[in-house]
Amino acid sequence: MAGEKVALVTAGGSGMGAAAAKRLAADGFKVGVLSSSGKGEALGKELGGFGVTGSNQSNDDLKRLTDDALERWGRIDVLVNSAGHGPRAQIIEISDEDWHKGIDTYFLNAVRPTRLVTPVMQKQKSGVIINISTAWAFEPSPMFPTSAVARAGLAAFTKIFADTYAADNIRMNNVLPGWIDSLPATEERRGSVPMKRYGTSEEIAATISFLASDGAAYITGQNIRVDGGITRAL
């Protein structure tokens, strides 16, 4: 029904994306979920919305997600861009092909759906886009080279987008998770965190919930670290 608040989550079948979809549904949003595994389709239905089986690397699949939301509810208020896993290797051993895969996975995953929802949000004169990035976008780790490089680019994109569309009351921010429980746990990684624990997907979802809320109406173009204090750069 038109007028209800609507949130779309890409790569939302599991992990932080699924947690975000569940939290937004609990907050009262109608939810649409995109996932390549089919889990997003089941989750969307479970939450009283819908799901699409497809890839955030496919403009056609993303258009199915946005078109379905508009047909059902007539608006899109929030877009959450999650991601899968890109190539990893020693920095000079990454091929051109794998660098391109990394850009597709960690940068264009946010750009593609943003292109689709921005005109809708402009007409509404409101909208929020939240990208799940990484704590290592600014203090890059050799463990995640394609992620760190692509998401440093995402930070620049976010600032330019936020400046461009602020007058339309469209906000974009990045959430930067550290070690989260959707990843395999090791004592070395846990010990490197000042809080001495992994974060939870639900804690990331709570941050996304806040950024999607009216309480964050004056926050845009920012990179919000949710990492237990592991990174310190300003």
Side-chain angles (χ1 to χ4, degrees):
M1 204 177 154
E4 296 178 288
K5 283 211 164 188
V6 176
L8 302 182
V9 182
T10 67
S14 60
M16 291 179 281
K22 291 173 185 176
R23 177 58 186 260
L24 291 167
D27 290 344
F29 285 87
K30 295 296 185 183
V31 175
V33 184
L34 176 79
S35 170
S36 60
S37 67
K39 291 179 182 177
E41 202 165 337
L43 179 61
K45 290 176 183 175
E46 176 190 324
L47 297 175
F50 74 98
V52 170
T53 298
S55 170
N56 60 7
Q57 296 182 29
S58 164
N59 286 304
D60 289 342
D61 291 345
L62 289 162
K63 192 169 187 306
R64 283 196 292 134
L65 178 73
T66 56
D67 285 352
D68 201 339
L70 292 171
E71 285 170 15
R72 287 168 182 261
W73 301 308
R75 61 186 298 115
I76 299 169
D77 298 281
V78 173
L79 168 67
V80 178
N81 291 312
S82 188
H85 299 286
R88 293 169 56 183
Q90 199 274 341
I91 190 73
I92 64 167
E93 295 174 1
I94 301 169
S95 66
D96 286 3
E97 181 183 7
D98 278 348
W99 278 118
H100 285 296
K101 285 180 184 174
I103 296 294
D104 269 342
T105 302
Y106 298 119
F107 176 66
L108 291 175
N109 73 300
V111 174
R112 292 186 188 98
T114 294
R115 287 195 199 108
L116 293 171
V117 304
T118 298
V120 177
M121 292 176 173
Q122 281 182 294
K123 288 177 185 175
Q124 297 168 179
K125 283 291 180 183
S126 68
V128 183
I129 302 172
I130 302 159
N131 306 311
I132 300 178
S133 179
T134 177
W136 291 277
F138 301 106
E139 296 182 42
S141 164
M143 286 184 286
F144 310 110
T146 61
S147 168
V149 170
R151 283 162 160 168
L154 179 60
F157 174 86
T158 295
K159 184 57 179 168
I160 295 168
F161 180 93
D163 288 351
T164 303
Y165 292 100
D168 292 312
N169 196 30
I170 303 172
R171 300 186 289 110
M172 178 184 280
N173 293 290
N174 298 324
V175 175
L176 279 54
W179 296 118
I180 301 299
D181 61 3
S182 57
L183 297 167
T186 70
E187 287 305 316
E188 181 182 2
R189 291 174 183 175
R190 186 179 289 109
S192 71
V193 180
M195 294 186 75
K196 302 302 178 189
R197 69 174 179 86
Y198 272 50
T200 67
S201 295
E202 289 73 24
E203 287 169 324
I204 301 302
T207 306
I208 290 167
S209 170
F210 168 66
L211 289 172
S213 75
D214 291 342
Y218 205 49
I219 300 174
T220 192
Q222 304 305 308
N223 295 279
I224 312 297
R225 291 177 174 82
V226 189
D227 65 2
I230 196 169
T231 56
R232 289 170 170 72
L234 297 176

